Amino acid sequence: MKLTVWTYEGPPHVGAMRVATGMKGLHYVLHAPQGDTYADLLFTMIERRDHRPPVSYTTFQARDLGSDTAALFKTACRDAYERFRPEAIIVGASCTAELIQDDPGGLAESMGLPVPVVALELPSYQRKENFGASETFYQLVRALAVEPVARTPALTCNILGPTALGFRHRDDAAEIGRLLAGLGIGVNVVAPMGARPADLARLPAAHFNVVLYPETAEAAARWLEKTHRQPWTRTVPIGVGATRDFIAEVAAITGRSLEADEAGLRMPWWTGSVDSTYLTGKRVFVFGDATHAVAMARVAREEMGFEVVGLGAYNREFARPVREVARALGLEALITDDYLDVEAAITAAAPELILGTQMERHIGKRLGIPCAVISAPVHVQDFPARCAPVMGHEGANVLFDTLIHPLVMGLEEHLLTMFREDFEFHDAAGPSHLGHGQPTPAAQTAPAPMPEPANAPGAPAWTDDAERELKKIPFFVRGKARRNTEAYAADRGLATISLDTLYDAKAHYAR
Amino acid sequence: LGISRVSFLPHAQIDRPARGCRPNTRVILAQPYLGEAAKSTCRGARAQPILTAPFPLGEEGTTGLAQGHCRCIRRGWGTLRRHHGRPAGGARARQWRRSAPSWREGVCSCFPIPQIEPSIARFLYRETGADSGRDRLALPASAPYGTDLALIADGPVISEGQDVDLQLDRVRAARPDLTVCGLGLANPLEAEGLATKWAIELVFTPVHGYEQAGDLAALFARPLERRARIGLSGALRTPASGGIEPPSAAPARAQAGHRSGIWQGAAE
């Protein structure tokens, strides 16, 4: 554990809260010191939840540590049951409470509460939020979906994975439900989001499971496969290609021939139409949770025509698929939960677009690089009022819009190049649809986007007109053009770099 | 070339008289389509300038223009060649030609782009190895075309006239690798599965001379490159499993190549 200003994932009890808050009729009794109640805010403020998360904190203080904190926990547990009358309870400890070793599970069990009590062992100092969500959901399913249930007469599946505070989980679950309905497949239970404890007992009635977010649902799906022989889908349907693969996988699982109606799928034509030509080869850096990063790398490259120049994820447990895809792209995956490492990697790669989390949005702002948010953690603006999935057909449409929104449009890009010294279309003008004050690469002053260090002693000096000409080169290759020209001048023993030197160097490196 | 005093005509302010057009002034046209402009602008010059040269697109066009200028001022081409050195942009254009990914049939069609279709056709035909059909709007019989047309006399089909439907018929029959056309036709043709290049980019992008030859070639390569990039491989399929277990556990992986790419279905 280390101190940091910002983190991609919270501690594991926040993951447990995401499951509890997503579900109905479940209550979470959390042995936690005063101050840990801040976590409510993540849900009520960022996700705009209109209810407090179903969590009771024991909120012990420093002075309680000398007395009976275990009694404090039992009181909180009993009060929570009396007040909320939940259908099931999960109990656990937050990071600090873990240290006092009160064993909330054992305590709650000894109380003889008339509802199922599931104890969570979440190692706060080794694991993080996604593990907490996955483990909580897994333990709930293990405890509540024990009895075999006859399969539904009609073909159904469960949709597993969506939680509170997830990136577009609400809309993904709805979109995939629609997609499956169009294929003649019903949805038995969506869980955790929207499910009651009793619904978890009905999980085994489905013919198979659809895992939307392996980070939160893969462990539960594996247990259901082993215990109730329910196959589960591996393909995460983000993007056109992955959605088609997903349908093929469902067809293989169900033994049915499935053909989706693609009438509402606009993305292939949007990316094929001529204004999209300007997207070709745009250099993008992708970072997020493993599932979204890997899916977005495919969308970026195969569906948008971008060039992926960086790929990484912050959740180490799922690093393997990220490494595999990065290798296929000829890249080395960046697996880190330190945003400073990510910032350094983005600075070095000098992409034209970042696809990332809330933190990469900040990094992009600092570096003057446009960013689209494609993965949790996200801020309040990424919980939209409208339905905006990133999965299925509508999700692919949404992704196209999301990915081009931060960019300058095709014809406008030409105008900016052609009239780059004009008052309206100058190099620093940026996308016109984003309005004034939008940070743009050239407009950035502090800190400089791509540090262009002053000349080293003895290095050739730039004439004013050459320096001006250099500024006309797009910012993301400007640093390279400067270095190349200086190397070219140094090789030839030139003391100054004139306009001619700049063009000679360009011609030299073009050969 | 040893010319010390050079003025560019007309003056940036159109109503100002051209400077320096005295009886002993020589006038060289900046490009070969300026015959009419030269007549009205260069009154008083020693001789009406005539430039027989291709438009300076690509290596051949640029060299041709320089040779034309040499003829105008009666200097040897060798002098100019020594001055310019090895044309680097031309080298890039040739390089692109070798690696052009989808120039399969080598067929390219061109819709009217005022006055420069013959030059584009010459560049594509003689410098990038493409064949090119051309359709131009009816132009005055005297309109000067430089020598671009003569250079492609043996090559592409040239269709004159301004009937867009007839030209569309010809394009659909030829199914060219690339169609150079305006924005009004680009998306409808793309929807029929025909790659297009917006003609307007040729106006907005600096494409002249040796330096820009590679950029000019890249303009035509870009739509083809995009088609090659998109939806091809499936190599970036989500690996079958998360980090917990090896991918072999997947029972029902879709076969690679089940769909070759997102274009399937989209073009129909």
Side-chain angles (χ1 to χ4, degrees), chain B residues 76-89:
Chain B
W77 160 239
T79 315
L80 203 71
R81 191 82 174 80
R82 277 193 298 281
H83 178 76
H84 271 285
R86 187 161 173 264

Side-chain angles (χ1 to χ4, degrees), chain A residues 77-97:
Chain A
C77 209
R78 191 171 300 111
D79 289 352
Y81 176 73
E82 292 302 328
R83 178 183 292 272
F84 298 104
R85 295 285 166 167
E87 295 156 34
I89 292 178
I90 51 178
V91 299
S94 78
C95 346
T96 319

Side-chain angles (χ1 to χ4, degrees), chain A residues 297-509:
Chain A
R298 179 176 177 187
V299 170
R301 185 182 150 105
E302 297 191 348
E303 297 171 20
M304 301 298 284
F306 292 145
E307 186 188 349
V308 179
V309 296
L311 175 63
Y314 55 79
N315 49 340
R316 206 169 286 278
E317 298 100 318
F318 285 79
R320 189 188 318 195
V322 185
R323 291 210 169 91
E324 275 179 42
V325 168
R327 209 172 299 126
L329 288 165
L331 301 169
E332 192 178 339
L334 175 70
I335 308 296
T336 179
D337 57 2
D338 185 336
Y339 66 91
L340 294 173
D341 291 347
V342 179
E343 178 159 3
I346 290 175
T347 307
E352 292 163 83
L353 176 68
I354 304 168
L355 307 178
T357 72
Q358 174 64 14
M359 181 43 80
E360 283 66 48
R361 195 213 300 275
H362 284 303
I363 291 171
K365 217 166 162 184
R366 278 199 292 279
L367 298 179
I369 302 171
C371 177
V373 170
I374 52 93
S375 165
V378 297
H379 209 346
V380 62
Q381 67 269 49
D382 286 300
F383 290 99
R386 70 184 187 281
C387 182
V390 294
M391 292 185 179
H393 293 162
E394 189 58 19
N397 299 338
V398 166
L399 281 179
F400 180 85
D401 293 349
T402 305
L403 267 51
I404 65 159
H405 186 258
L407 299 171
V408 181
M409 297 295 100
L411 200 52
E412 187 177 24
E413 192 167 81
H414 281 288
L415 291 172
L416 293 178
T417 311
M418 190 170 183
F419 300 110
R420 56 196 162 198
E421 276 150 1
D422 182 90
F423 72 97
E424 189 181 356
F425 293 111
H426 53 84
D427 197 23
S432 60
H433 64 286
L434 295 181
H436 297 291
Q438 175 72 14
T440 58
Q444 288 286 307
T445 46
M450 243 50 71
E452 291 170 18
N455 288 337
W462 288 71
T463 62
D464 285 348
D465 54 348
E467 192 80 55
R468 266 198 305 279
E469 194 69 12
L470 185 69
K471 291 213 167 68
K472 295 178 184 171
I473 297 169
F475 74 98
F476 48 89
V477 289
R478 199 177 295 151
K480 191 177 179 194
R482 178 185 281 276
R483 285 193 297 277
N484 281 352
T485 309
E486 285 172 359
Y488 175 86
D491 279 355
R492 279 154 191 77
L494 302 174
T496 55
I497 294 172
S498 66
L499 207 53
D500 285 343
T501 322
L502 183 62
Y503 276 101
D504 289 347
K506 185 193 173 204
H508 173 79
Y509 286 104

Side-chain angles (χ1 to χ4, degrees), chain A residues 173-188:
Chain A
E175 174 67 16
I176 295 305
R178 275 192 294 274
L179 182 73
L180 291 163
L183 298 169
I185 298 169
V187 174
N188 180 51

Side-chain angles (χ1 to χ4, degrees), chain A residues 230-251:
Chain A
Q230 285 173 313
W232 55 282
T233 56
R234 267 71 171 175
T235 312
V236 177
I238 296 178
V240 178
T243 300
R244 287 174 179 163
D245 288 352
F246 169 79
I247 293 165
E249 191 182 0
V250 171

Side-chain angles (χ1 to χ4, degrees), chain A residues 128-183:
Chain A
K128 287 177 185 288
E129 181 178 327
N130 276 329
F131 171 83
S134 172
E135 177 69 8
T136 303
F137 185 46
Y138 165 70
Q139 292 296 348
L140 278 166
V141 169
R142 256 186 68 151
L144 301 174
V146 184
E147 298 301 323
V149 185
R151 297 278 200 260
T152 55
L155 184 58
T156 59
C157 65
N158 300 312
I159 293 180
L160 304 183
T163 65
L165 209 62
F167 178 64
R168 308 290 168 90
H169 285 196
R170 173 199 71 192
D171 301 338
D172 284 348
E175 174 67 16
I176 295 305
R178 275 192 294 274
L179 182 73
L180 291 163
L183 298 169

